[in-house]
Amino acid sequence: MKFSGIAWQNDEGFYYSSYDKPKEGTVLSGMTDKHKVYFHKLGTKQSEDKLIFGGEKTPRRYLGASVSEDQRYLIISAANATNGNELYIKDLKKEETLYRLQKDLTSMPTLWILKGITFLLLQIKMLLICVW
């Protein structure tokens, strides 16, 4: 596992990012363009982890997952470079897919959900906009 953090979901488990294991002989030269976000349920094997986002359908080089302070929302940031990202959100209390909040890779949005209030911070050409 490289380029990953851990986002805990209550006491159930955590979200993490990972690339596929490189083929033998390509550890330093293999392409790492399909980052994936998984959910690991505590007490289970890693081979049982659930793929949440990424892979062949949505190839991105860098993915990061976080869970809102109230443990209700999963937030995923997806990028192909070190500037500009897409932003996705999923309501963890409902069985639904991820909803894309930002699809333009030219801005760097950030989302905070604190005590039921949502803040979406968009940075577009040095202009900061806050929506709640």
Side-chain angles (χ1 to χ4, degrees), residues 53-107:
F53 184 83
E56 295 296 328
K57 291 182 180 178
T58 49
R60 300 291 182 269
R61 295 193 67 151
Y62 309 106
L63 296 177
S66 60
V67 176
S68 62
E69 184 179 279
D70 62 4
Q71 297 289 303
R72 179 157 183 186
Y73 298 98
L74 171 65
I75 302 151
I76 294 178
S77 174
N80 283 326
T82 56
N83 64 328
N85 63 293
E86 297 170 318
L87 197 60
Y88 296 82
I89 189 169
K90 178 180 181 175
D91 188 336
L92 295 172
K93 295 196 183 291
K94 299 178 181 176
E95 291 295 322
E96 60 183 35
T97 59
L98 286 163
Y99 176 75
R100 184 168 49 187
L101 294 175
Q102 169 69 20
K103 64 179 179 177
D104 181 4
L105 289 168
T106 61
S107 65

Side-chain angles (χ1 to χ4, degrees), residues 18-73:
S18 184
Y19 293 100
D20 292 332
K21 185 176 180 179
K23 295 177 184 171
E24 190 171 329
T26 66
V27 173
L28 298 177
S29 63
M31 181 67 92
T32 54
D33 64 344
K34 293 178 183 69
H35 215 185
K36 299 173 184 175
V37 172
Y38 292 93
F39 179 74
H40 176 76
K41 185 175 174 81
L42 295 178
T44 64
K45 296 178 182 178
Q46 185 178 6
S47 60
E48 299 173 18
D49 290 356
K50 182 179 177 185
L51 176 65
I52 303 298
F53 184 83
E56 295 296 328
K57 291 182 180 178
T58 49
R60 300 291 182 269
R61 295 193 67 151
Y62 309 106
L63 296 177
S66 60
V67 176
S68 62
E69 184 179 279
D70 62 4
Q71 297 289 303
R72 179 157 183 186
Y73 298 98

